[in-house]
Amino acid sequence: MGRIAVVAAMREELHGFLDDMGRTASKETRAGREFFLGEIAGHEVVAVLSGIGKVAAAITATTLLDRYGVGAVLFTGVAGGVGDGVRVGDIVIADALVQHDMDARPLFPRFEVPLTGTSRFAADAQLAALARTAAEQALALDLAAEVDAATLAEFGVSAPRVHAGLIASGDQFIADAGKAAQLCADLPGLLAVEMEGAAVAQVCADHGMPLAVMRTVSDRADAHAAFDFGRFVERVASRYSHVFVRRLLDALSA
Ligand code: ADE
């Protein structure tokens, strides 16, 4: 399938994985980003931090696809859970992604990316199914070894679940329960919000590139979101990404 790209917005979301790669990786800088090239679980991998927001993510995705012979893109990191029952510590796998701040009304319907005829960019169904299994296995088999019980309890994580559905991206950190509820009302089936996935999805759609987006829920996009997000990113997020990406790469080898 060619080289697999593993992308996250922030270092904290990927450092476990980057540490793993460190032993084999070489590093190149392009467009101000460091691209780590190596091999994991029998796959050629390129790992990169996208930076935060849709433009940074689109630049990263474009550079990856133009320069690194990529055959699939895995985007991982954290998100604000907005759907019913989507709790801190759960994992959300995108089956489709939407840019929630795209609004060119009255010229085009709300959320539609002008001249594409679409508002929802699909993730690759096969990769998403593998990602779901990888996430379920990571939660059931790896989490307890990666994050100690006291830390999970402190974050209120118990019996975390995997959800598959719609993820919305925008150049906004959502920290307002009313706003989160409005987005859920406007985008039926919405599970989580973040700031990059749908931009990468648009780039991948233009290139016919398979994409999976997997996000761990760090906060509930409410008044506590900034506090919860900061603590979660620092202490837990990279452990999740690490075991999930490893399991997904293993599944891709099988
Ligand atoms: N990433 C993690 N939490 C988020 C939130 N509440 N809003 C936007 N992006 C996020």
Side-chain angles (χ1 to χ4, degrees):
M1 84 163 9
R3 192 179 266 147
I4 297 175
V6 179
V7 190
M10 297 158 60
R11 186 163 296 278
E12 295 86 342
E13 293 171 316
L14 207 59
H15 66 67
F17 184 76
L18 289 175
D19 285 351
D20 259 15
M21 275 191 81
R23 281 167 246 136
T24 53
S26 61
K27 189 171 80 175
E28 296 176 9
T29 302
R30 269 184 215 282
R33 287 134 174 88
E34 291 178 334
F35 292 83
F36 297 87
L37 297 155
E39 206 190 290
I40 290 201
H43 293 283
E44 294 280 311
V45 173
V46 52
V48 62
L49 301 174
S50 64
I52 297 174
K54 292 187 303 172
V55 173
I59 293 168
T60 308
T62 301
T63 308
L64 267 173
L65 301 193
D66 277 353
R67 299 286 190 148
Y68 289 98
V70 165
V73 177
L74 314 178
F75 201 108
T76 186
V78 297
V82 297
D84 276 347
V86 181
R87 304 175 55 212
V88 169
D90 286 359
I91 293 179
V92 176
I93 311 284
D95 59 24
L97 299 109
V98 59
Q99 296 174 24
H100 68 71
D101 53 358
M102 176 60 76
D103 189 351
R105 288 176 295 177
L107 303 181
F108 296 91
R110 188 173 176 205
F111 305 123
E112 184 168 310
V113 177
L115 308 180
T116 66
T118 193
S119 59
R120 292 186 183 216
F121 294 91
D124 183 80
Q126 221 176 332
L127 269 184
L130 286 175
R132 188 178 188 144
T133 307
E136 276 161 0
Q137 289 177 342
L139 288 181
L141 304 173
D142 305 326
L143 190 61
E146 287 285 326
V147 187
D148 62 74
T151 305
L152 290 176
E154 193 186 324
F155 284 90
V157 177
S158 69
R161 295 172 51 204
V162 179
H163 310 263
L166 184 65
I167 292 181
S169 313
D171 289 320
Q172 292 167 3
F173 185 82
I174 309 287
D176 175 337
K179 206 167 192 172
Q182 190 60 54
L183 280 173
C184 285
D186 295 341
L187 292 165
L190 181 64
L191 296 176
V193 291
E194 37 87 310
M195 301 177 69
E196 297 83 20
V200 175
Q202 185 179 343
V203 174
C204 286
D206 280 356
H207 287 258
M209 179 63 58
L211 167 73
V213 177
M214 168 274 183
R215 296 280 191 168
T216 311
V217 176
S218 57
D219 62 87
R220 281 284 306 171
D222 56 12
H224 310 286
F227 179 71
D228 295 344
F229 164 85
R231 288 192 322 149
F232 194 91
V233 160
E234 196 175 287
R235 298 189 36 210
V236 189
S238 119
R239 309 319 307 164
Y240 268 80
S241 301
H242 176 64
V243 290
F244 164 78
V245 174
R246 282 306 291 247
R247 287 217 171 254
L248 184 50
L249 291 177
D250 283 343
L252 287 170
S253 316

